[in-house]
Amino acid sequence: MKQSFFGLLKKIIQTGIGKGRLLMATIGLGIAMFLLLLSIQMHTDFNQLLYNQQNQNESVDFLVINKKITNDMMGQSEKSVFTPQEIADIKKQPFTAAFGFITSNQYKVTAAAPGDLHFYTEMFFEAVPDTFIDVKSEDWKWQAGDNTIPIILPNDFLNLYNFGYALSQGLPQISQETIKALPMKITISKGLLTQEFTGRIVGFSDRITSFLVPGSFMEWANGKFGNGVEAAPSRVIIKTKDPSNPVLVKYLEDKGYSTNQDKLKYSKTKVIVQTIVSVIGFFGLILLLFALLVFSMFIQVVIASCKREIQLLVTLGTAPRQLQRYLMRQFVPLYIFTAIISLLLITGLQWKAAGVLAGMNMFVSSWISPGTAGAALLVIVLVYIVNLQSVKRYINEIS
Amino acid sequence: MQLQLENLVPIPLRDKILQRTSDLWNQVVTFTPGSFVKIKAPSGTGKTTLVHYLYNIRNDYSGKVLVDGQAWDAYKKDQIARMRQQQISVVFQDLRIFDQLTAAENIELKRVMLPNPYCTAEKVAEMAARLNVSHIMNQSGKTLSYGERQRIAIIRALVQPFEWLIMDEPFSHLDDENAQKAADLISEECRARNAGFILTDLDHDNRFAYDIHFNL
């Protein structure tokens, strides 16, 4: 006839009285935990869809920002430049990972095709810091004395020529390789001062729609041919981790800046998903609160119904701590059981969702995120602490 | 563990007590550790009240009960629990047996309250045999007679380590023969622990070799 102390306590402290409440509390806790974990997992999945390497070519994005040209501003080019205050403000925004000016030329530029191609045009150059350029080329460098200027053209420009202009005018279409092989005669001038260079196309940019030359050349040429005053930039480029960041989108809108809208398209979807996730998480939290409340009521009922027995146990020398441990032992397996069931459900859903999404060429992990598992643990710890407090309080009240 | 009373007066009995003299009420008394103490008192003079004060389950008194020099209210609940498990044991007049447990379980509850029980299950069986209650050990507490409950309560008090054993009319439901057996067992167990006891009763008796008598 050997029985453990807790085994004997089980015969004295009947927890059966609150079974209905306990069941309700456990079910509530289960649903609450499920909703909370679901919202966290959905959040993780959505972020994965947006930023994962598999789902996107670049993990960061570059935005060229300029002021919108409105009818009021026409003819007043100084209104389209960024003031130092505006630049400082953009720089300090949390979404700005890096910032660069797009520097324009302060001199005239003409380009002519070699030989008898009879191609001549006036043009412009711009320069951006090298880190913002998506073309990797050995030839992308210039130092004073070099007679050859490397140039990057926008990809769109070549497309416009090949598919718009050339076709309609009966001119030959040109491949990238051919253009790269063609030396252009570049003349830059300011008044009577002129200098000739050989321009060589070294690449085509998808990121920046402009004619780019190395910063070192721009600096040198603006120094020699410019008016000596540094021009205020009217276009700037920023590097950002998340072009769909609603904060960024709102900032641009508020300031009247414009950028490549296509890059911002995820922003709206993101706001919607975030709202749904928040609502689910919110309901989860509310339900968790109710579950905690019902647990607390259950504890109160059990302790109140065994008041005499608990008092006698304490009289005989049972430590309040022993009673707390005993009561908590009745609950902890329930928490763990609930957490395991919720986690299993979420894992199943995630596995299924990953399968369905993969069919649409969207990739999310087929396992739940560590954050979700961590959250389950956190909920258990929270419920444990809250219940332990109730047990302590009610036992203290009667002992 | 030293027990002392310092001008202890129960508030509900204050007027009655202050009208007469008592060896204990409103006196300064020190119970020497290890001594066998008999407190004799007629009904209604506060025997049970005193036992409850000594065991700290009532505190409606003026004056002090000092335990190792400190008043009871200086101790925390967990400290008091530890004392009740290891230093001070009790047999209540109203016995306080759990009805939902068997006789054996009532004793076992106290025995295994300490993670390392002080006495073995065999020892419990031996004590039950000495007090002639072996045959009722598996009966539920509810069905026990007063005499049986009293002996179970005595065994329950003896399965733990203690320095003081407090007993409130422990033999009130026992015949002389069984009372003497119980007294012998209590004596032995106290001697084995170098412990003392404080026993309250209505009448004079010679069941123990008392070291000191008080009239309440």
PDB file of all heavy atoms in Angstrom, chain B residues 143-171:
ATOM      1  N   THR B 143     -16.108   5.601   8.226  1.00  0.00           N
ATOM      2  CA  THR B 143     -16.748   4.501   8.963  1.00  0.00           C
ATOM      3  C   THR B 143     -16.069   4.190  10.286  1.00  0.00           C
ATOM      4  O   THR B 143     -16.497   3.287  11.002  1.00  0.00           O
ATOM      5  CB  THR B 143     -16.732   3.220   8.105  1.00  0.00           C
ATOM      6  OG1 THR B 143     -15.365   2.850   7.894  1.00  0.00           O
ATOM      7  CG2 THR B 143     -17.408   3.428   6.765  1.00  0.00           C
ATOM      8  N   LEU B 144     -15.009   4.914  10.612  1.00  0.00           N
ATOM      9  CA  LEU B 144     -14.277   4.587  11.842  1.00  0.00           C
ATOM     10  C   LEU B 144     -15.002   5.111  13.076  1.00  0.00           C
ATOM     11  O   LEU B 144     -15.635   6.166  13.046  1.00  0.00           O
ATOM     12  CB  LEU B 144     -12.876   5.208  11.792  1.00  0.00           C
ATOM     13  CG  LEU B 144     -11.956   4.753  10.654  1.00  0.00           C
ATOM     14  CD1 LEU B 144     -10.644   5.497  10.727  1.00  0.00           C
ATOM     15  CD2 LEU B 144     -11.723   3.248  10.708  1.00  0.00           C
ATOM     16  N   SER B 145     -14.876   4.352  14.162  1.00  0.00           N
ATOM     17  CA  SER B 145     -15.417   4.841  15.438  1.00  0.00           C
ATOM     18  C   SER B 145     -14.489   5.918  15.985  1.00  0.00           C
ATOM     19  O   SER B 145     -13.354   6.077  15.518  1.00  0.00           O
ATOM     20  CB  SER B 145     -15.500   3.685  16.423  1.00  0.00           C
ATOM     21  OG  SER B 145     -14.191   3.367  16.881  1.00  0.00           O
ATOM     22  N   TYR B 146     -14.959   6.636  17.019  1.00  0.00           N
ATOM     23  CA  TYR B 146     -14.116   7.688  17.607  1.00  0.00           C
ATOM     24  C   TYR B 146     -12.835   7.125  18.171  1.00  0.00           C
ATOM     25  O   TYR B 146     -11.754   7.695  18.023  1.00  0.00           O
ATOM     26  CB  TYR B 146     -14.901   8.449  18.679  1.00  0.00           C
ATOM     27  CG  TYR B 146     -15.782   9.512  18.069  1.00  0.00           C
ATOM     28  CD1 TYR B 146     -17.163   9.344  18.000  1.00  0.00           C
ATOM     29  CD2 TYR B 146     -15.212  10.658  17.537  1.00  0.00           C
ATOM     30  CE1 TYR B 146     -17.960  10.306  17.421  1.00  0.00           C
ATOM     31  CE2 TYR B 146     -16.003  11.632  16.955  1.00  0.00           C
ATOM     32  CZ  TYR B 146     -17.376  11.455  16.892  1.00  0.00           C
ATOM     33  OH  TYR B 146     -18.145  12.403  16.313  1.00  0.00           O
ATOM     34  N   GLY B 147     -12.955   5.977  18.843  1.00  0.00           N
ATOM     35  CA  GLY B 147     -11.762   5.358  19.427  1.00  0.00           C
ATOM     36  C   GLY B 147     -10.745   5.005  18.354  1.00  0.00           C
ATOM     37  O   GLY B 147      -9.533   5.208  18.531  1.00  0.00           O
ATOM     38  N   GLU B 148     -11.260   4.497  17.219  1.00  0.00           N
ATOM     39  CA  GLU B 148     -10.348   4.136  16.128  1.00  0.00           C
ATOM     40  C   GLU B 148      -9.727   5.383  15.499  1.00  0.00           C
ATOM     41  O   GLU B 148      -8.527   5.424  15.242  1.00  0.00           O
ATOM     42  CB  GLU B 148     -11.129   3.326  15.076  1.00  0.00           C
ATOM     43  CG  GLU B 148     -11.469   1.921  15.565  1.00  0.00           C
ATOM     44  CD  GLU B 148     -12.608   1.256  14.796  1.00  0.00           C
ATOM     45  OE1 GLU B 148     -13.330   1.947  14.032  1.00  0.00           O
ATOM     46  OE2 GLU B 148     -12.791   0.047  14.967  1.00  0.00           O
ATOM     47  N   ARG B 149     -10.556   6.363  15.310  1.00  0.00           N
ATOM     48  CA  ARG B 149     -10.022   7.616  14.757  1.00  0.00           C
ATOM     49  C   ARG B 149      -8.927   8.180  15.646  1.00  0.00           C
ATOM     50  O   ARG B 149      -7.915   8.692  15.173  1.00  0.00           O
ATOM     51  CB  ARG B 149     -11.116   8.675  14.674  1.00  0.00           C
ATOM     52  CG  ARG B 149     -12.050   8.478  13.530  1.00  0.00           C
ATOM     53  CD  ARG B 149     -13.188   9.453  13.640  1.00  0.00           C
ATOM     54  NE  ARG B 149     -14.224   9.084  12.690  1.00  0.00           N
ATOM     55  CZ  ARG B 149     -14.742   9.928  11.815  1.00  0.00           C
ATOM     56  NH1 ARG B 149     -14.379  11.195  11.812  1.00  0.00           N
ATOM     57  NH2 ARG B 149     -15.656   9.509  10.969  1.00  0.00           N
ATOM     58  N   GLN B 150      -9.173   8.094  16.964  1.00  0.00           N
ATOM     59  CA  GLN B 150      -8.216   8.676  17.901  1.00  0.00           C
ATOM     60  C   GLN B 150      -6.851   7.985  17.770  1.00  0.00           C
ATOM     61  O   GLN B 150      -5.810   8.636  17.750  1.00  0.00           O
ATOM     62  CB  GLN B 150      -8.735   8.532  19.329  1.00  0.00           C
ATOM     63  CG  GLN B 150      -8.030   9.458  20.288  1.00  0.00           C
ATOM     64  CD  GLN B 150      -8.951   9.870  21.415  1.00  0.00           C
ATOM     65  OE1 GLN B 150      -9.722   9.042  21.944  1.00  0.00           O
ATOM     66  NE2 GLN B 150      -8.888  11.121  21.812  1.00  0.00           N
ATOM     67  N   ARG B 151      -6.907   6.659  17.641  1.00  0.00           N
ATOM     68  CA  ARG B 151      -5.638   5.934  17.528  1.00  0.00           C
ATOM     69  C   ARG B 151      -4.968   6.220  16.177  1.00  0.00           C
ATOM     70  O   ARG B 151      -3.740   6.333  16.102  1.00  0.00           O
ATOM     71  CB  ARG B 151      -5.877   4.437  17.734  1.00  0.00           C
ATOM     72  CG  ARG B 151      -6.034   4.116  19.209  1.00  0.00           C
ATOM     73  CD  ARG B 151      -6.468   2.704  19.439  1.00  0.00           C
ATOM     74  NE  ARG B 151      -7.917   2.545  19.187  1.00  0.00           N
ATOM     75  CZ  ARG B 151      -8.540   1.377  19.266  1.00  0.00           C
ATOM     76  NH1 ARG B 151      -7.871   0.272  19.546  1.00  0.00           N
ATOM     77  NH2 ARG B 151      -9.835   1.309  19.057  1.00  0.00           N
ATOM     78  N   ILE B 152      -5.781   6.336  15.121  1.00  0.00           N
ATOM     79  CA  ILE B 152      -5.201   6.691  13.805  1.00  0.00           C
ATOM     80  C   ILE B 152      -4.554   8.073  13.874  1.00  0.00           C
ATOM     81  O   ILE B 152      -3.449   8.296  13.377  1.00  0.00           O
ATOM     82  CB  ILE B 152      -6.292   6.662  12.701  1.00  0.00           C
ATOM     83  CG1 ILE B 152      -6.878   5.253  12.529  1.00  0.00           C
ATOM     84  CG2 ILE B 152      -5.731   7.164  11.368  1.00  0.00           C
ATOM     85  CD1 ILE B 152      -5.866   4.188  12.185  1.00  0.00           C
ATOM     86  N   ALA B 153      -5.245   8.995  14.560  1.00  0.00           N
ATOM     87  CA  ALA B 153      -4.696  10.355  14.685  1.00  0.00           C
ATOM     88  C   ALA B 153      -3.381  10.335  15.450  1.00  0.00           C
ATOM     89  O   ALA B 153      -2.441  11.071  15.128  1.00  0.00           O
ATOM     90  CB  ALA B 153      -5.708  11.263  15.380  1.00  0.00           C
ATOM     91  N   ILE B 154      -3.291   9.452  16.475  1.00  0.00           N
ATOM     92  CA  ILE B 154      -2.046   9.360  17.256  1.00  0.00           C
ATOM     93  C   ILE B 154      -0.919   8.815  16.375  1.00  0.00           C
ATOM     94  O   ILE B 154       0.180   9.372  16.323  1.00  0.00           O
ATOM     95  CB  ILE B 154      -2.254   8.471  18.507  1.00  0.00           C
ATOM     96  CG1 ILE B 154      -3.131   9.220  19.526  1.00  0.00           C
ATOM     97  CG2 ILE B 154      -0.909   8.099  19.131  1.00  0.00           C
ATOM     98  CD1 ILE B 154      -3.626   8.359  20.678  1.00  0.00           C
ATOM     99  N   ILE B 155      -1.233   7.736  15.630  1.00  0.00           N
ATOM    100  CA  ILE B 155      -0.188   7.177  14.751  1.00  0.00           C
ATOM    101  C   ILE B 155       0.232   8.217  13.708  1.00  0.00           C
ATOM    102  O   ILE B 155       1.410   8.400  13.433  1.00  0.00           O
ATOM    103  CB  ILE B 155      -0.681   5.878  14.055  1.00  0.00           C
ATOM    104  CG1 ILE B 155      -0.981   4.816  15.117  1.00  0.00           C
ATOM    105  CG2 ILE B 155       0.379   5.368  13.083  1.00  0.00           C
ATOM    106  CD1 ILE B 155      -1.641   3.568  14.567  1.00  0.00           C
ATOM    107  N   ARG B 156      -0.760   8.921  13.174  1.00  0.00           N
ATOM    108  CA  ARG B 156      -0.448   9.945  12.175  1.00  0.00           C
ATOM    109  C   ARG B 156       0.521  10.976  12.748  1.00  0.00           C
ATOM    110  O   ARG B 156       1.436  11.440  12.063  1.00  0.00           O
ATOM    111  CB  ARG B 156      -1.736  10.629  11.714  1.00  0.00           C
ATOM    112  CG  ARG B 156      -1.489  11.689  10.652  1.00  0.00           C
ATOM    113  CD  ARG B 156      -2.774  12.234  10.091  1.00  0.00           C
ATOM    114  NE  ARG B 156      -3.497  13.042  11.084  1.00  0.00           N
ATOM    115  CZ  ARG B 156      -4.657  13.623  10.852  1.00  0.00           C
ATOM    116  NH1 ARG B 156      -5.252  13.471   9.683  1.00  0.00           N
ATOM    117  NH2 ARG B 156      -5.257  14.339  11.791  1.00  0.00           N
ATOM    118  N   ALA B 157       0.309  11.330  14.014  1.00  0.00           N
ATOM    119  CA  ALA B 157       1.188  12.332  14.623  1.00  0.00           C
ATOM    120  C   ALA B 157       2.582  11.782  14.868  1.00  0.00           C
ATOM    121  O   ALA B 157       3.544  12.544  14.966  1.00  0.00           O
ATOM    122  CB  ALA B 157       0.581  12.821  15.933  1.00  0.00           C
ATOM    123  N   LEU B 158       2.694  10.447  14.938  1.00  0.00           N
ATOM    124  CA  LEU B 158       3.991   9.861  15.290  1.00  0.00           C
ATOM    125  C   LEU B 158       4.844   9.450  14.081  1.00  0.00           C
ATOM    126  O   LEU B 158       5.960   8.991  14.260  1.00  0.00           O
ATOM    127  CB  LEU B 158       3.772   8.624  16.181  1.00  0.00           C
ATOM    128  CG  LEU B 158       3.175   8.903  17.573  1.00  0.00           C
ATOM    129  CD1 LEU B 158       2.958   7.590  18.336  1.00  0.00           C
ATOM    130  CD2 LEU B 158       4.080   9.833  18.376  1.00  0.00           C
ATOM    131  N   VAL B 159       4.313   9.573  12.850  1.00  0.00           N
ATOM    132  CA  VAL B 159       5.113   9.129  11.705  1.00  0.00           C
ATOM    133  C   VAL B 159       6.080  10.201  11.211  1.00  0.00           C
ATOM    134  O   VAL B 159       6.876   9.965  10.317  1.00  0.00           O
ATOM    135  CB  VAL B 159       4.239   8.677  10.501  1.00  0.00           C
ATOM    136  CG1 VAL B 159       3.433   7.440  10.869  1.00  0.00           C
ATOM    137  CG2 VAL B 159       3.336   9.797  10.030  1.00  0.00           C
ATOM    138  N   GLN B 160       6.015  11.362  11.816  1.00  0.00           N
ATOM    139  CA  GLN B 160       6.883  12.444  11.337  1.00  0.00           C
ATOM    140  C   GLN B 160       7.955  12.756  12.370  1.00  0.00           C
ATOM    141  O   GLN B 160       7.802  12.397  13.544  1.00  0.00           O
ATOM    142  CB  GLN B 160       6.047  13.703  11.087  1.00  0.00           C
ATOM    143  CG  GLN B 160       5.512  14.321  12.381  1.00  0.00           C
ATOM    144  CD  GLN B 160       4.964  15.723  12.168  1.00  0.00           C
ATOM    145  OE1 GLN B 160       3.816  15.911  11.872  1.00  0.00           O
ATOM    146  NE2 GLN B 160       5.839  16.708  12.326  1.00  0.00           N
ATOM    147  N   PRO B 161       9.025  13.389  11.963  1.00  0.00           N
ATOM    148  CA  PRO B 161       9.986  13.859  12.968  1.00  0.00           C
ATOM    149  C   PRO B 161       9.387  15.039  13.722  1.00  0.00           C
ATOM    150  O   PRO B 161       8.612  15.802  13.140  1.00  0.00           O
ATOM    151  CB  PRO B 161      11.191  14.301  12.140  1.00  0.00           C
ATOM    152  CG  PRO B 161      10.656  14.588  10.783  1.00  0.00           C
ATOM    153  CD  PRO B 161       9.447  13.730  10.600  1.00  0.00           C
ATOM    154  N   PHE B 162       9.683  15.151  15.020  1.00  0.00           N
ATOM    155  CA  PHE B 162       9.210  16.333  15.760  1.00  0.00           C
ATOM    156  C   PHE B 162      10.066  16.574  16.986  1.00  0.00           C
ATOM    157  O   PHE B 162      10.778  15.668  17.440  1.00  0.00           O
ATOM    158  CB  PHE B 162       7.732  16.197  16.158  1.00  0.00           C
ATOM    159  CG  PHE B 162       7.416  14.997  17.007  1.00  0.00           C
ATOM    160  CD1 PHE B 162       7.665  15.000  18.375  1.00  0.00           C
ATOM    161  CD2 PHE B 162       6.842  13.854  16.442  1.00  0.00           C
ATOM    162  CE1 PHE B 162       7.364  13.893  19.164  1.00  0.00           C
ATOM    163  CE2 PHE B 162       6.543  12.747  17.220  1.00  0.00           C
ATOM    164  CZ  PHE B 162       6.797  12.756  18.588  1.00  0.00           C
ATOM    165  N   GLU B 163      10.020  17.795  17.475  1.00  0.00           N
ATOM    166  CA  GLU B 163      10.678  18.133  18.734  1.00  0.00           C
ATOM    167  C   GLU B 163       9.638  18.337  19.816  1.00  0.00           C
ATOM    168  O   GLU B 163       9.932  18.224  20.990  1.00  0.00           O
ATOM    169  CB  GLU B 163      11.549  19.382  18.558  1.00  0.00           C
ATOM    170  CG  GLU B 163      12.735  19.136  17.635  1.00  0.00           C
ATOM    171  CD  GLU B 163      13.393  20.424  17.179  1.00  0.00           C
ATOM    172  OE1 GLU B 163      13.432  21.393  17.969  1.00  0.00           O
ATOM    173  OE2 GLU B 163      13.851  20.459  16.012  1.00  0.00           O
ATOM    174  N   TRP B 164       8.444  18.700  19.401  1.00  0.00           N
ATOM    175  CA  TRP B 164       7.330  18.842  20.329  1.00  0.00           C
ATOM    176  C   TRP B 164       6.108  18.137  19.755  1.00  0.00           C
ATOM    177  O   TRP B 164       5.807  18.268  18.567  1.00  0.00           O
ATOM    178  CB  TRP B 164       6.965  20.325  20.532  1.00  0.00           C
ATOM    179  CG  TRP B 164       7.865  21.054  21.480  1.00  0.00           C
ATOM    180  CD1 TRP B 164       8.805  21.968  21.150  1.00  0.00           C
ATOM    181  CD2 TRP B 164       7.899  20.922  22.908  1.00  0.00           C
ATOM    182  NE1 TRP B 164       9.441  22.430  22.268  1.00  0.00           N
ATOM    183  CE2 TRP B 164       8.906  21.804  23.376  1.00  0.00           C
ATOM    184  CE3 TRP B 164       7.192  20.137  23.830  1.00  0.00           C
ATOM    185  CZ2 TRP B 164       9.210  21.927  24.724  1.00  0.00           C
ATOM    186  CZ3 TRP B 164       7.504  20.280  25.170  1.00  0.00           C
ATOM    187  CH2 TRP B 164       8.496  21.164  25.612  1.00  0.00           C
ATOM    188  N   LEU B 165       5.423  17.405  20.628  1.00  0.00           N
ATOM    189  CA  LEU B 165       4.168  16.784  20.230  1.00  0.00           C
ATOM    190  C   LEU B 165       3.083  17.418  21.091  1.00  0.00           C
ATOM    191  O   LEU B 165       3.185  17.416  22.319  1.00  0.00           O
ATOM    192  CB  LEU B 165       4.231  15.271  20.478  1.00  0.00           C
ATOM    193  CG  LEU B 165       2.952  14.478  20.249  1.00  0.00           C
ATOM    194  CD1 LEU B 165       2.489  14.581  18.798  1.00  0.00           C
ATOM    195  CD2 LEU B 165       3.167  13.001  20.615  1.00  0.00           C
ATOM    196  N   ILE B 166       2.081  17.987  20.437  1.00  0.00           N
ATOM    197  CA  ILE B 166       1.014  18.653  21.188  1.00  0.00           C
ATOM    198  C   ILE B 166      -0.235  17.794  21.088  1.00  0.00           C
ATOM    199  O   ILE B 166      -0.640  17.407  19.979  1.00  0.00           O
ATOM    200  CB  ILE B 166       0.762  20.055  20.608  1.00  0.00           C
ATOM    201  CG1 ILE B 166       2.055  20.876  20.751  1.00  0.00           C
ATOM    202  CG2 ILE B 166      -0.380  20.743  21.334  1.00  0.00           C
ATOM    203  CD1 ILE B 166       2.010  22.186  20.028  1.00  0.00           C
ATOM    204  N   MET B 167      -0.820  17.454  22.255  1.00  0.00           N
ATOM    205  CA  MET B 167      -1.966  16.533  22.245  1.00  0.00           C
ATOM    206  C   MET B 167      -3.107  17.129  23.068  1.00  0.00           C
ATOM    207  O   MET B 167      -2.901  17.584  24.190  1.00  0.00           O
ATOM    208  CB  MET B 167      -1.560  15.182  22.825  1.00  0.00           C
ATOM    209  CG  MET B 167      -0.505  14.473  22.000  1.00  0.00           C
ATOM    210  SD  MET B 167       0.053  12.931  22.739  1.00  0.00           S
ATOM    211  CE  MET B 167       1.166  13.523  24.005  1.00  0.00           C
ATOM    212  N   ASP B 168      -4.285  17.093  22.491  1.00  0.00           N
ATOM    213  CA  ASP B 168      -5.457  17.674  23.149  1.00  0.00           C
ATOM    214  C   ASP B 168      -6.408  16.525  23.534  1.00  0.00           C
ATOM    215  O   ASP B 168      -7.072  15.972  22.653  1.00  0.00           O
ATOM    216  CB  ASP B 168      -6.126  18.644  22.159  1.00  0.00           C
ATOM    217  CG  ASP B 168      -7.171  19.507  22.826  1.00  0.00           C
ATOM    218  OD1 ASP B 168      -7.342  19.383  24.056  1.00  0.00           O
ATOM    219  OD2 ASP B 168      -7.805  20.310  22.103  1.00  0.00           O
ATOM    220  N   GLU B 169      -6.433  16.177  24.816  1.00  0.00           N
ATOM    221  CA  GLU B 169      -7.227  15.037  25.302  1.00  0.00           C
ATOM    222  C   GLU B 169      -7.107  13.831  24.371  1.00  0.00           C
ATOM    223  O   GLU B 169      -8.102  13.353  23.798  1.00  0.00           O
ATOM    224  CB  GLU B 169      -8.705  15.441  25.436  1.00  0.00           C
ATOM    225  CG  GLU B 169      -8.902  16.567  26.443  1.00  0.00           C
ATOM    226  CD  GLU B 169     -10.381  16.825  26.709  1.00  0.00           C
ATOM    227  OE1 GLU B 169     -11.132  15.834  26.827  1.00  0.00           O
ATOM    228  OE2 GLU B 169     -10.769  17.998  26.791  1.00  0.00           O
ATOM    229  N   PRO B 170      -5.883  13.283  24.234  1.00  0.00           N
ATOM    230  CA  PRO B 170      -5.658  12.256  23.216  1.00  0.00           C
ATOM    231  C   PRO B 170      -6.293  10.903  23.536  1.00  0.00           C
ATOM    232  O   PRO B 170      -6.409  10.055  22.655  1.00  0.00           O
ATOM    233  CB  PRO B 170      -4.139  12.134  23.179  1.00  0.00           C
ATOM    234  CG  PRO B 170      -3.694  12.557  24.531  1.00  0.00           C
ATOM    235  CD  PRO B 170      -4.651  13.622  24.972  1.00  0.00           C
ATOM    236  N   PHE B 171      -6.687  10.717  24.767  1.00  0.00           N
ATOM    237  CA  PHE B 171      -7.213   9.395  25.118  1.00  0.00           C
ATOM    238  C   PHE B 171      -8.697   9.438  25.459  1.00  0.00           C
ATOM    239  O   PHE B 171      -9.252   8.499  26.025  1.00  0.00           O
ATOM    240  CB  PHE B 171      -6.433   8.811  26.322  1.00  0.00           C
ATOM    241  CG  PHE B 171      -4.939   8.880  26.125  1.00  0.00           C
ATOM    242  CD1 PHE B 171      -4.124   9.483  27.088  1.00  0.00           C
ATOM    243  CD2 PHE B 171      -4.347   8.366  24.982  1.00  0.00           C
ATOM    244  CE1 PHE B 171      -2.760   9.559  26.908  1.00  0.00           C
ATOM    245  CE2 PHE B 171      -2.973   8.436  24.801  1.00  0.00           C
ATOM    246  CZ  PHE B 171      -2.176   9.036  25.764  1.00  0.00           C
TER     247      PHE B 171
END
